[in-house]
Amino acid sequence: MQFEQLRTFVAVIDQGSFEAAARQLHVTPSAVSQRMKALETAIGRVLVERGKPARPTPSGEVVLRLARQVALLERDVLDQLGDDSTATAAGFTRIPIVVNGDSLNTWVLPALAAAVRAGICVDVYREDQDHSVELLRRGTVMAAVTSEARPVQGCAVRRLGRMRYRPMASPEFVRTWLPDGPTVANLARAPMLVFDRKDDLQHRYLRQRTRQPLDPPRSYLPSSGDFPEAIRLGLGWGMLPGQQIARYQDSGAIVPIDPDAVLDVPLYWQQWRLDSRLLTALADAVAAAAAASLER
């Protein structure tokens, strides 16, 4: 396996096609195809599903992890040698990570800004915190903000803190649907707002509160930034992290439907186990941002 072939493989997967990879690498699509054919011949396996977008095969996922690791370590070595020939534009190195939507909307952006100052361009994938480690296993990303404490094979884990959620709604919604509080009967009929079909926070609260399987009417809104506004407008009740609640606290536009209820979601940073200056800098920036914002 040659560095050039591994770089080309990463470009094909990240860009989604041979043509787009060729544009990024400033070569012809034919050159990309030849490099990939040579790599697959050397491995003896098909590495890429030639679809739209191009995806790694199961064998390709293994090689993709290696390709990303080699690229990052190569970058670290060349930094020490004062050579920026393999960096991205203006000497930056790109590191793909996965972060859940609520973290992106509340506390993680200062960490990503610090990473840029350290010479890192982040390629952020958004995925639910309970499912993000799958992208680590596939080699799509090098690091993840996740609720999974058990390390993915080949990864190190660092505890970040806890996001504390409370069930919230607008005052009018509470008067209409929960006039005598969050009883089982009221929660069974009150409309519920859910981020997407992977979001289990509202159901966790219902199980915690009622100890019964409830199936209330629900709406889906896969936008963390718009989620509290939708609750304010009365689309339903939903679980919000404390950082978002604080933005509405003074106005009284949203209120807790169950004042004593809290749901803590522990968050962890998982990253490939590499001795990389850049990956360490990114991890430290994320940990610092978490320490300033999350519950311990």
Side-chain angles (χ1 to χ4, degrees), residues 98-100 103 107 129-130 132-133 136 143-151 156-163 265-271 283 286-287 290 294 296:
V98 58
V99 183
N100 62 302
S103 292
W107 65 269
Q129 65 272 1
D130 294 334
S132 53
V133 293
L136 270 176
V145 174
T146 175
S147 60
E148 178 59 62
R150 184 173 54 187
V157 179
R158 181 190 298 196
R159 188 178 184 276
L160 296 174
R162 295 171 292 145
M163 290 199 78
V265 176
L267 293 179
Y268 302 87
W269 175 256
Q270 290 213 32
Q271 69 177 54
V286 170
L294 299 182
R296 302 312 298 169

PDB file of all heavy atoms in Angstrom, residues 98-100 103 107 129-130 132-133 136 143-151 156-163 265-271 283 286-287 290 294 296:
ATOM      1  N   VAL A  98     -17.583  13.206  14.856  1.00  0.00           N
ATOM      2  CA  VAL A  98     -19.038  13.146  14.915  1.00  0.00           C
ATOM      3  C   VAL A  98     -19.478  13.688  16.269  1.00  0.00           C
ATOM      4  O   VAL A  98     -18.896  13.381  17.305  1.00  0.00           O
ATOM      5  CB  VAL A  98     -19.566  11.706  14.687  1.00  0.00           C
ATOM      6  CG1 VAL A  98     -19.004  10.725  15.699  1.00  0.00           C
ATOM      7  CG2 VAL A  98     -21.089  11.677  14.694  1.00  0.00           C
ATOM      8  N   VAL A  99     -20.530  14.542  16.238  1.00  0.00           N
ATOM      9  CA  VAL A  99     -21.037  15.210  17.434  1.00  0.00           C
ATOM     10  C   VAL A  99     -22.561  15.170  17.392  1.00  0.00           C
ATOM     11  O   VAL A  99     -23.157  15.311  16.316  1.00  0.00           O
ATOM     12  CB  VAL A  99     -20.554  16.681  17.510  1.00  0.00           C
ATOM     13  CG1 VAL A  99     -21.021  17.342  18.802  1.00  0.00           C
ATOM     14  CG2 VAL A  99     -19.039  16.769  17.391  1.00  0.00           C
ATOM     15  N   ASN A 100     -23.190  14.993  18.543  1.00  0.00           N
ATOM     16  CA  ASN A 100     -24.653  15.036  18.584  1.00  0.00           C
ATOM     17  C   ASN A 100     -25.157  16.467  18.439  1.00  0.00           C
ATOM     18  O   ASN A 100     -24.451  17.433  18.739  1.00  0.00           O
ATOM     19  CB  ASN A 100     -25.172  14.403  19.874  1.00  0.00           C
ATOM     20  CG  ASN A 100     -24.705  15.138  21.112  1.00  0.00           C
ATOM     21  OD1 ASN A 100     -23.505  15.275  21.339  1.00  0.00           O
ATOM     22  ND2 ASN A 100     -25.632  15.634  21.913  1.00  0.00           N
ATOM     23  N   SER A 103     -25.109  18.994  21.500  1.00  0.00           N
ATOM     24  CA  SER A 103     -23.771  19.487  21.832  1.00  0.00           C
ATOM     25  C   SER A 103     -23.318  20.536  20.829  1.00  0.00           C
ATOM     26  O   SER A 103     -22.721  21.555  21.200  1.00  0.00           O
ATOM     27  CB  SER A 103     -22.777  18.323  21.872  1.00  0.00           C
ATOM     28  OG  SER A 103     -23.038  17.460  22.962  1.00  0.00           O
ATOM     29  N   TRP A 107     -22.501  23.687  23.390  1.00  0.00           N
ATOM     30  CA  TRP A 107     -21.212  23.893  24.048  1.00  0.00           C
ATOM     31  C   TRP A 107     -19.978  23.588  23.208  1.00  0.00           C
ATOM     32  O   TRP A 107     -18.873  24.022  23.555  1.00  0.00           O
ATOM     33  CB  TRP A 107     -21.135  23.044  25.330  1.00  0.00           C
ATOM     34  CG  TRP A 107     -21.164  21.562  25.086  1.00  0.00           C
ATOM     35  CD1 TRP A 107     -22.269  20.767  25.051  1.00  0.00           C
ATOM     36  CD2 TRP A 107     -20.043  20.693  24.852  1.00  0.00           C
ATOM     37  NE1 TRP A 107     -21.916  19.455  24.798  1.00  0.00           N
ATOM     38  CE2 TRP A 107     -20.564  19.383  24.683  1.00  0.00           C
ATOM     39  CE3 TRP A 107     -18.663  20.880  24.773  1.00  0.00           C
ATOM     40  CZ2 TRP A 107     -19.747  18.281  24.429  1.00  0.00           C
ATOM     41  CZ3 TRP A 107     -17.842  19.795  24.522  1.00  0.00           C
ATOM     42  CH2 TRP A 107     -18.390  18.510  24.359  1.00  0.00           C
ATOM     43  N   GLN A 129     -26.125  10.878  20.043  1.00  0.00           N
ATOM     44  CA  GLN A 129     -25.027  10.449  20.912  1.00  0.00           C
ATOM     45  C   GLN A 129     -25.039   8.953  21.208  1.00  0.00           C
ATOM     46  O   GLN A 129     -24.013   8.365  21.543  1.00  0.00           O
ATOM     47  CB  GLN A 129     -25.051  11.225  22.245  1.00  0.00           C
ATOM     48  CG  GLN A 129     -26.258  10.968  23.129  1.00  0.00           C
ATOM     49  CD  GLN A 129     -27.423  11.892  22.815  1.00  0.00           C
ATOM     50  OE1 GLN A 129     -27.345  12.728  21.900  1.00  0.00           O
ATOM     51  NE2 GLN A 129     -28.497  11.772  23.577  1.00  0.00           N
ATOM     52  N   ASP A 130     -26.212   8.307  21.071  1.00  0.00           N
ATOM     53  CA  ASP A 130     -26.290   6.867  21.318  1.00  0.00           C
ATOM     54  C   ASP A 130     -25.870   6.037  20.105  1.00  0.00           C
ATOM     55  O   ASP A 130     -25.771   4.813  20.198  1.00  0.00           O
ATOM     56  CB  ASP A 130     -27.723   6.475  21.720  1.00  0.00           C
ATOM     57  CG  ASP A 130     -28.131   7.074  23.063  1.00  0.00           C
ATOM     58  OD1 ASP A 130     -27.233   7.335  23.885  1.00  0.00           O
ATOM     59  OD2 ASP A 130     -29.333   7.294  23.283  1.00  0.00           O
ATOM     60  N   SER A 132     -23.376   7.408  17.629  1.00  0.00           N
ATOM     61  CA  SER A 132     -22.236   8.020  16.946  1.00  0.00           C
ATOM     62  C   SER A 132     -21.028   7.098  16.830  1.00  0.00           C
ATOM     63  O   SER A 132     -20.220   7.251  15.910  1.00  0.00           O
ATOM     64  CB  SER A 132     -21.843   9.322  17.647  1.00  0.00           C
ATOM     65  OG  SER A 132     -21.628   9.096  19.034  1.00  0.00           O
ATOM     66  N   VAL A 133     -20.875   6.137  17.763  1.00  0.00           N
ATOM     67  CA  VAL A 133     -19.675   5.304  17.706  1.00  0.00           C
ATOM     68  C   VAL A 133     -19.636   4.416  16.466  1.00  0.00           C
ATOM     69  O   VAL A 133     -18.562   3.938  16.081  1.00  0.00           O
ATOM     70  CB  VAL A 133     -19.528   4.428  18.977  1.00  0.00           C
ATOM     71  CG1 VAL A 133     -19.249   5.284  20.197  1.00  0.00           C
ATOM     72  CG2 VAL A 133     -20.745   3.549  19.176  1.00  0.00           C
ATOM     73  N   LEU A 136     -17.228   5.706  14.127  1.00  0.00           N
ATOM     74  CA  LEU A 136     -15.858   5.378  14.511  1.00  0.00           C
ATOM     75  C   LEU A 136     -15.485   3.978  14.033  1.00  0.00           C
ATOM     76  O   LEU A 136     -14.399   3.758  13.504  1.00  0.00           O
ATOM     77  CB  LEU A 136     -15.710   5.436  16.031  1.00  0.00           C
ATOM     78  CG  LEU A 136     -15.309   6.751  16.690  1.00  0.00           C
ATOM     79  CD1 LEU A 136     -15.321   6.581  18.202  1.00  0.00           C
ATOM     80  CD2 LEU A 136     -13.961   7.238  16.215  1.00  0.00           C
ATOM     81  N   ALA A 143     -12.869  10.680  15.697  1.00  0.00           N
ATOM     82  CA  ALA A 143     -13.240  10.934  17.082  1.00  0.00           C
ATOM     83  C   ALA A 143     -14.741  11.197  17.160  1.00  0.00           C
ATOM     84  O   ALA A 143     -15.371  11.570  16.171  1.00  0.00           O
ATOM     85  CB  ALA A 143     -12.456  12.118  17.651  1.00  0.00           C
ATOM     86  N   ALA A 144     -15.289  11.029  18.377  1.00  0.00           N
ATOM     87  CA  ALA A 144     -16.730  11.167  18.542  1.00  0.00           C
ATOM     88  C   ALA A 144     -17.062  11.703  19.926  1.00  0.00           C
ATOM     89  O   ALA A 144     -16.426  11.337  20.918  1.00  0.00           O
ATOM     90  CB  ALA A 144     -17.425   9.818  18.340  1.00  0.00           C
ATOM     91  N   VAL A 145     -18.084  12.569  19.994  1.00  0.00           N
ATOM     92  CA  VAL A 145     -18.765  12.867  21.243  1.00  0.00           C
ATOM     93  C   VAL A 145     -19.913  11.876  21.332  1.00  0.00           C
ATOM     94  O   VAL A 145     -20.791  11.852  20.470  1.00  0.00           O
ATOM     95  CB  VAL A 145     -19.293  14.313  21.279  1.00  0.00           C
ATOM     96  CG1 VAL A 145     -20.122  14.549  22.539  1.00  0.00           C
ATOM     97  CG2 VAL A 145     -18.140  15.302  21.210  1.00  0.00           C
ATOM     98  N   THR A 146     -19.917  11.041  22.375  1.00  0.00           N
ATOM     99  CA  THR A 146     -20.835   9.920  22.425  1.00  0.00           C
ATOM    100  C   THR A 146     -21.278   9.650  23.858  1.00  0.00           C
ATOM    101  O   THR A 146     -20.604  10.062  24.817  1.00  0.00           O
ATOM    102  CB  THR A 146     -20.172   8.652  21.835  1.00  0.00           C
ATOM    103  OG1 THR A 146     -21.031   7.528  21.993  1.00  0.00           O
ATOM    104  CG2 THR A 146     -18.853   8.360  22.536  1.00  0.00           C
ATOM    105  N   SER A 147     -22.393   8.951  24.008  1.00  0.00           N
ATOM    106  CA  SER A 147     -22.833   8.512  25.339  1.00  0.00           C
ATOM    107  C   SER A 147     -22.295   7.127  25.663  1.00  0.00           C
ATOM    108  O   SER A 147     -22.571   6.595  26.741  1.00  0.00           O
ATOM    109  CB  SER A 147     -24.362   8.504  25.412  1.00  0.00           C
ATOM    110  OG  SER A 147     -24.903   7.620  24.445  1.00  0.00           O
ATOM    111  N   GLU A 148     -21.510   6.543  24.760  1.00  0.00           N
ATOM    112  CA  GLU A 148     -20.982   5.190  24.926  1.00  0.00           C
ATOM    113  C   GLU A 148     -19.661   5.241  25.692  1.00  0.00           C
ATOM    114  O   GLU A 148     -18.668   5.798  25.212  1.00  0.00           O
ATOM    115  CB  GLU A 148     -20.776   4.541  23.561  1.00  0.00           C
ATOM    116  CG  GLU A 148     -20.181   3.136  23.607  1.00  0.00           C
ATOM    117  CD  GLU A 148     -21.031   2.157  24.384  1.00  0.00           C
ATOM    118  OE1 GLU A 148     -22.181   1.920  23.961  1.00  0.00           O
ATOM    119  OE2 GLU A 148     -20.533   1.660  25.417  1.00  0.00           O
ATOM    120  N   ALA A 149     -19.658   4.670  26.913  1.00  0.00           N
ATOM    121  CA  ALA A 149     -18.447   4.689  27.731  1.00  0.00           C
ATOM    122  C   ALA A 149     -17.476   3.579  27.360  1.00  0.00           C
ATOM    123  O   ALA A 149     -16.267   3.711  27.574  1.00  0.00           O
ATOM    124  CB  ALA A 149     -18.821   4.562  29.208  1.00  0.00           C
ATOM    125  N   ARG A 150     -17.996   2.495  26.788  1.00  0.00           N
ATOM    126  CA  ARG A 150     -17.121   1.375  26.430  1.00  0.00           C
ATOM    127  C   ARG A 150     -16.356   1.717  25.161  1.00  0.00           C
ATOM    128  O   ARG A 150     -16.954   2.074  24.148  1.00  0.00           O
ATOM    129  CB  ARG A 150     -17.959   0.115  26.221  1.00  0.00           C
ATOM    130  CG  ARG A 150     -17.140  -1.136  25.929  1.00  0.00           C
ATOM    131  CD  ARG A 150     -18.038  -2.350  25.914  1.00  0.00           C
ATOM    132  NE  ARG A 150     -19.149  -2.182  24.987  1.00  0.00           N
ATOM    133  CZ  ARG A 150     -20.162  -3.039  24.883  1.00  0.00           C
ATOM    134  NH1 ARG A 150     -20.223  -4.091  25.662  1.00  0.00           N
ATOM    135  NH2 ARG A 150     -21.127  -2.814  24.009  1.00  0.00           N
ATOM    136  N   PRO A 151     -15.031   1.624  25.184  1.00  0.00           N
ATOM    137  CA  PRO A 151     -14.257   2.071  24.017  1.00  0.00           C
ATOM    138  C   PRO A 151     -14.454   1.168  22.808  1.00  0.00           C
ATOM    139  O   PRO A 151     -14.509  -0.058  22.927  1.00  0.00           O
ATOM    140  CB  PRO A 151     -12.802   2.015  24.503  1.00  0.00           C
ATOM    141  CG  PRO A 151     -12.812   1.033  25.628  1.00  0.00           C
ATOM    142  CD  PRO A 151     -14.147   1.161  26.278  1.00  0.00           C
ATOM    143  N   ALA A 156      -9.424   5.328  22.469  1.00  0.00           N
ATOM    144  CA  ALA A 156      -9.303   5.743  23.867  1.00  0.00           C
ATOM    145  C   ALA A 156     -10.529   6.576  24.232  1.00  0.00           C
ATOM    146  O   ALA A 156     -11.131   7.227  23.373  1.00  0.00           O
ATOM    147  CB  ALA A 156      -8.031   6.564  24.060  1.00  0.00           C
ATOM    148  N   VAL A 157     -10.899   6.556  25.519  1.00  0.00           N
ATOM    149  CA  VAL A 157     -12.110   7.231  25.992  1.00  0.00           C
ATOM    150  C   VAL A 157     -11.746   8.240  27.073  1.00  0.00           C
ATOM    151  O   VAL A 157     -10.920   7.956  27.948  1.00  0.00           O
ATOM    152  CB  VAL A 157     -13.132   6.218  26.552  1.00  0.00           C
ATOM    153  CG1 VAL A 157     -14.377   6.944  27.063  1.00  0.00           C
ATOM    154  CG2 VAL A 157     -13.513   5.201  25.505  1.00  0.00           C
ATOM    155  N   ARG A 158     -12.380   9.410  27.005  1.00  0.00           N
ATOM    156  CA  ARG A 158     -12.233  10.427  28.050  1.00  0.00           C
ATOM    157  C   ARG A 158     -13.634  10.910  28.442  1.00  0.00           C
ATOM    158  O   ARG A 158     -14.439  11.254  27.580  1.00  0.00           O
ATOM    159  CB  ARG A 158     -11.403  11.611  27.533  1.00  0.00           C
ATOM    160  CG  ARG A 158     -11.179  12.701  28.574  1.00  0.00           C
ATOM    161  CD  ARG A 158     -10.559  13.963  27.977  1.00  0.00           C
ATOM    162  NE  ARG A 158      -9.245  13.748  27.408  1.00  0.00           N
ATOM    163  CZ  ARG A 158      -8.389  14.731  27.118  1.00  0.00           C
ATOM    164  NH1 ARG A 158      -8.724  16.001  27.359  1.00  0.00           N
ATOM    165  NH2 ARG A 158      -7.215  14.464  26.572  1.00  0.00           N
ATOM    166  N   ARG A 159     -13.928  10.920  29.726  1.00  0.00           N
ATOM    167  CA  ARG A 159     -15.230  11.394  30.188  1.00  0.00           C
ATOM    168  C   ARG A 159     -15.289  12.912  30.067  1.00  0.00           C
ATOM    169  O   ARG A 159     -14.360  13.623  30.473  1.00  0.00           O
ATOM    170  CB  ARG A 159     -15.476  10.977  31.639  1.00  0.00           C
ATOM    171  CG  ARG A 159     -16.894  11.280  32.126  1.00  0.00           C
ATOM    172  CD  ARG A 159     -17.097  10.801  33.565  1.00  0.00           C
ATOM    173  NE  ARG A 159     -18.468  11.003  33.989  1.00  0.00           N
ATOM    174  CZ  ARG A 159     -18.960  12.138  34.469  1.00  0.00           C
ATOM    175  NH1 ARG A 159     -18.147  13.199  34.571  1.00  0.00           N
ATOM    176  NH2 ARG A 159     -20.217  12.235  34.833  1.00  0.00           N
ATOM    177  N   LEU A 160     -16.405  13.436  29.537  1.00  0.00           N
ATOM    178  CA  LEU A 160     -16.565  14.869  29.352  1.00  0.00           C
ATOM    179  C   LEU A 160     -17.449  15.510  30.412  1.00  0.00           C
ATOM    180  O   LEU A 160     -17.213  16.634  30.833  1.00  0.00           O
ATOM    181  CB  LEU A 160     -17.161  15.155  27.966  1.00  0.00           C
ATOM    182  CG  LEU A 160     -16.302  14.760  26.763  1.00  0.00           C
ATOM    183  CD1 LEU A 160     -17.076  14.974  25.466  1.00  0.00           C
ATOM    184  CD2 LEU A 160     -14.992  15.532  26.745  1.00  0.00           C
ATOM    185  N   GLY A 161     -18.503  14.821  30.821  1.00  0.00           N
ATOM    186  CA  GLY A 161     -19.468  15.394  31.748  1.00  0.00           C
ATOM    187  C   GLY A 161     -20.867  14.927  31.399  1.00  0.00           C
ATOM    188  O   GLY A 161     -21.046  13.967  30.644  1.00  0.00           O
ATOM    189  N   ARG A 162     -21.875  15.630  31.945  1.00  0.00           N
ATOM    190  CA  ARG A 162     -23.260  15.226  31.732  1.00  0.00           C
ATOM    191  C   ARG A 162     -24.064  16.387  31.169  1.00  0.00           C
ATOM    192  O   ARG A 162     -23.962  17.522  31.663  1.00  0.00           O
ATOM    193  CB  ARG A 162     -23.896  14.771  33.044  1.00  0.00           C
ATOM    194  CG  ARG A 162     -23.298  13.514  33.647  1.00  0.00           C
ATOM    195  CD  ARG A 162     -23.853  13.269  35.043  1.00  0.00           C
ATOM    196  NE  ARG A 162     -23.390  14.303  35.970  1.00  0.00           N
ATOM    197  CZ  ARG A 162     -24.118  14.785  36.982  1.00  0.00           C
ATOM    198  NH1 ARG A 162     -25.352  14.372  37.184  1.00  0.00           N
ATOM    199  NH2 ARG A 162     -23.621  15.717  37.797  1.00  0.00           N
ATOM    200  N   MET A 163     -24.881  16.106  30.160  1.00  0.00           N
ATOM    201  CA  MET A 163     -25.883  17.066  29.712  1.00  0.00           C
ATOM    202  C   MET A 163     -27.153  16.784  30.500  1.00  0.00           C
ATOM    203  O   MET A 163     -27.662  15.658  30.503  1.00  0.00           O
ATOM    204  CB  MET A 163     -26.144  16.949  28.212  1.00  0.00           C
ATOM    205  CG  MET A 163     -25.002  17.431  27.353  1.00  0.00           C
ATOM    206  SD  MET A 163     -25.477  17.825  25.637  1.00  0.00           S
ATOM    207  CE  MET A 163     -26.254  19.430  25.867  1.00  0.00           C
ATOM    208  N   VAL A 265     -27.549  12.805  30.735  1.00  0.00           N
ATOM    209  CA  VAL A 265     -26.932  11.989  29.686  1.00  0.00           C
ATOM    210  C   VAL A 265     -25.423  12.166  29.777  1.00  0.00           C
ATOM    211  O   VAL A 265     -24.900  13.248  29.486  1.00  0.00           O
ATOM    212  CB  VAL A 265     -27.438  12.399  28.287  1.00  0.00           C
ATOM    213  CG1 VAL A 265     -26.701  11.601  27.205  1.00  0.00           C
ATOM    214  CG2 VAL A 265     -28.940  12.207  28.172  1.00  0.00           C
ATOM    215  N   PRO A 266     -24.690  11.136  30.214  1.00  0.00           N
ATOM    216  CA  PRO A 266     -23.228  11.248  30.281  1.00  0.00           C
ATOM    217  C   PRO A 266     -22.630  11.274  28.873  1.00  0.00           C
ATOM    218  O   PRO A 266     -23.081  10.551  27.988  1.00  0.00           O
ATOM    219  CB  PRO A 266     -22.810   9.992  31.044  1.00  0.00           C
ATOM    220  CG  PRO A 266     -23.906   9.014  30.804  1.00  0.00           C
ATOM    221  CD  PRO A 266     -25.171   9.815  30.662  1.00  0.00           C
ATOM    222  N   LEU A 267     -21.645  12.114  28.685  1.00  0.00           N
ATOM    223  CA  LEU A 267     -20.981  12.226  27.389  1.00  0.00           C
ATOM    224  C   LEU A 267     -19.497  11.888  27.530  1.00  0.00           C
ATOM    225  O   LEU A 267     -18.867  12.197  28.547  1.00  0.00           O
ATOM    226  CB  LEU A 267     -21.134  13.638  26.817  1.00  0.00           C
ATOM    227  CG  LEU A 267     -22.548  14.075  26.427  1.00  0.00           C
ATOM    228  CD1 LEU A 267     -22.528  15.505  25.907  1.00  0.00           C
ATOM    229  CD2 LEU A 267     -23.157  13.137  25.403  1.00  0.00           C
ATOM    230  N   TYR A 268     -18.974  11.272  26.483  1.00  0.00           N
ATOM    231  CA  TYR A 268     -17.569  10.850  26.455  1.00  0.00           C
ATOM    232  C   TYR A 268     -16.955  11.259  25.117  1.00  0.00           C
ATOM    233  O   TYR A 268     -17.656  11.414  24.108  1.00  0.00           O
ATOM    234  CB  TYR A 268     -17.449   9.330  26.623  1.00  0.00           C
ATOM    235  CG  TYR A 268     -18.067   8.819  27.902  1.00  0.00           C
ATOM    236  CD1 TYR A 268     -19.421   8.491  27.950  1.00  0.00           C
ATOM    237  CD2 TYR A 268     -17.303   8.673  29.056  1.00  0.00           C
ATOM    238  CE1 TYR A 268     -20.003   8.033  29.130  1.00  0.00           C
ATOM    239  CE2 TYR A 268     -17.867   8.212  30.234  1.00  0.00           C
ATOM    240  CZ  TYR A 268     -19.220   7.891  30.263  1.00  0.00           C
ATOM    241  OH  TYR A 268     -19.790   7.449  31.424  1.00  0.00           O
ATOM    242  N   TRP A 269     -15.651  11.433  25.137  1.00  0.00           N
ATOM    243  CA  TRP A 269     -14.877  11.669  23.920  1.00  0.00           C
ATOM    244  C   TRP A 269     -14.136  10.378  23.599  1.00  0.00           C
ATOM    245  O   TRP A 269     -13.340   9.890  24.396  1.00  0.00           O
ATOM    246  CB  TRP A 269     -13.900  12.805  24.139  1.00  0.00           C
ATOM    247  CG  TRP A 269     -12.952  13.085  23.011  1.00  0.00           C
ATOM    248  CD1 TRP A 269     -11.627  12.761  22.933  1.00  0.00           C
ATOM    249  CD2 TRP A 269     -13.238  13.791  21.798  1.00  0.00           C
ATOM    250  NE1 TRP A 269     -11.077  13.211  21.750  1.00  0.00           N
ATOM    251  CE2 TRP A 269     -12.048  13.843  21.038  1.00  0.00           C
ATOM    252  CE3 TRP A 269     -14.386  14.375  21.270  1.00  0.00           C
ATOM    253  CZ2 TRP A 269     -11.972  14.467  19.793  1.00  0.00           C
ATOM    254  CZ3 TRP A 269     -14.317  14.999  20.036  1.00  0.00           C
ATOM    255  CH2 TRP A 269     -13.130  15.043  19.308  1.00  0.00           C
ATOM    256  N   GLN A 270     -14.453   9.794  22.458  1.00  0.00           N
ATOM    257  CA  GLN A 270     -13.725   8.617  21.997  1.00  0.00           C
ATOM    258  C   GLN A 270     -12.921   9.011  20.767  1.00  0.00           C
ATOM    259  O   GLN A 270     -13.451   9.656  19.855  1.00  0.00           O
ATOM    260  CB  GLN A 270     -14.684   7.473  21.641  1.00  0.00           C
ATOM    261  CG  GLN A 270     -15.375   6.836  22.820  1.00  0.00           C
ATOM    262  CD  GLN A 270     -15.631   5.354  22.599  1.00  0.00           C
ATOM    263  OE1 GLN A 270     -14.862   4.674  21.923  1.00  0.00           O
ATOM    264  NE2 GLN A 270     -16.702   4.856  23.199  1.00  0.00           N
ATOM    265  N   GLN A 271     -11.664   8.616  20.737  1.00  0.00           N
ATOM    266  CA  GLN A 271     -10.820   8.915  19.589  1.00  0.00           C
ATOM    267  C   GLN A 271      -9.889   7.742  19.325  1.00  0.00           C
ATOM    268  O   GLN A 271      -9.637   6.911  20.192  1.00  0.00           O
ATOM    269  CB  GLN A 271      -9.983  10.169  19.826  1.00  0.00           C
ATOM    270  CG  GLN A 271      -8.901   9.992  20.895  1.00  0.00           C
ATOM    271  CD  GLN A 271      -8.035  11.217  21.050  1.00  0.00           C
ATOM    272  OE1 GLN A 271      -8.538  12.308  21.266  1.00  0.00           O
ATOM    273  NE2 GLN A 271      -6.717  11.038  20.946  1.00  0.00           N
ATOM    274  N   ALA A 283      -8.681  16.967  21.166  1.00  0.00           N
ATOM    275  CA  ALA A 283      -9.274  16.351  22.359  1.00  0.00           C
ATOM    276  C   ALA A 283      -9.207  17.299  23.551  1.00  0.00           C
ATOM    277  O   ALA A 283     -10.172  17.424  24.321  1.00  0.00           O
ATOM    278  CB  ALA A 283      -8.566  15.045  22.668  1.00  0.00           C
ATOM    279  N   VAL A 286     -11.840  20.063  23.196  1.00  0.00           N
ATOM    280  CA  VAL A 286     -13.186  19.570  23.482  1.00  0.00           C
ATOM    281  C   VAL A 286     -13.372  19.378  24.987  1.00  0.00           C
ATOM    282  O   VAL A 286     -14.400  19.759  25.555  1.00  0.00           O
ATOM    283  CB  VAL A 286     -13.447  18.254  22.725  1.00  0.00           C
ATOM    284  CG1 VAL A 286     -14.735  17.589  23.202  1.00  0.00           C
ATOM    285  CG2 VAL A 286     -13.524  18.513  21.224  1.00  0.00           C
ATOM    286  N   ALA A 287     -12.379  18.809  25.652  1.00  0.00           N
ATOM    287  CA  ALA A 287     -12.477  18.597  27.094  1.00  0.00           C
ATOM    288  C   ALA A 287     -12.588  19.922  27.846  1.00  0.00           C
ATOM    289  O   ALA A 287     -13.350  20.035  28.821  1.00  0.00           O
ATOM    290  CB  ALA A 287     -11.263  17.803  27.585  1.00  0.00           C
ATOM    291  N   ALA A 290     -16.104  21.275  27.364  1.00  0.00           N
ATOM    292  CA  ALA A 290     -17.050  20.486  28.154  1.00  0.00           C
ATOM    293  C   ALA A 290     -16.969  20.865  29.634  1.00  0.00           C
ATOM    294  O   ALA A 290     -17.990  20.986  30.306  1.00  0.00           O
ATOM    295  CB  ALA A 290     -16.772  18.992  27.957  1.00  0.00           C
ATOM    296  N   LEU A 294     -20.642  21.585  30.867  1.00  0.00           N
ATOM    297  CA  LEU A 294     -21.416  20.412  31.253  1.00  0.00           C
ATOM    298  C   LEU A 294     -21.421  20.205  32.766  1.00  0.00           C
ATOM    299  O   LEU A 294     -20.540  20.693  33.477  1.00  0.00           O
ATOM    300  CB  LEU A 294     -20.838  19.161  30.584  1.00  0.00           C
ATOM    301  CG  LEU A 294     -20.845  19.130  29.056  1.00  0.00           C
ATOM    302  CD1 LEU A 294     -20.275  17.806  28.558  1.00  0.00           C
ATOM    303  CD2 LEU A 294     -22.238  19.360  28.495  1.00  0.00           C
ATOM    304  N   ARG A 296     -20.762  18.071  36.031  1.00  0.00           N
ATOM    305  CA  ARG A 296     -19.716  17.096  36.341  1.00  0.00           C
ATOM    306  C   ARG A 296     -20.346  15.856  36.932  1.00  0.00           C
ATOM    307  O   ARG A 296     -20.005  14.761  36.692  1.00  0.00           O
ATOM    308  CB  ARG A 296     -18.701  17.685  37.345  1.00  0.00           C
ATOM    309  CG  ARG A 296     -18.034  18.970  36.869  1.00  0.00           C
ATOM    310  CD  ARG A 296     -17.516  18.864  35.439  1.00  0.00           C
ATOM    311  NE  ARG A 296     -16.501  17.847  35.286  1.00  0.00           N
ATOM    312  CZ  ARG A 296     -16.037  17.417  34.136  1.00  0.00           C
ATOM    313  NH1 ARG A 296     -16.531  17.894  33.004  1.00  0.00           N
ATOM    314  NH2 ARG A 296     -15.110  16.484  34.077  1.00  0.00           N
TER     315      ARG A 296
END
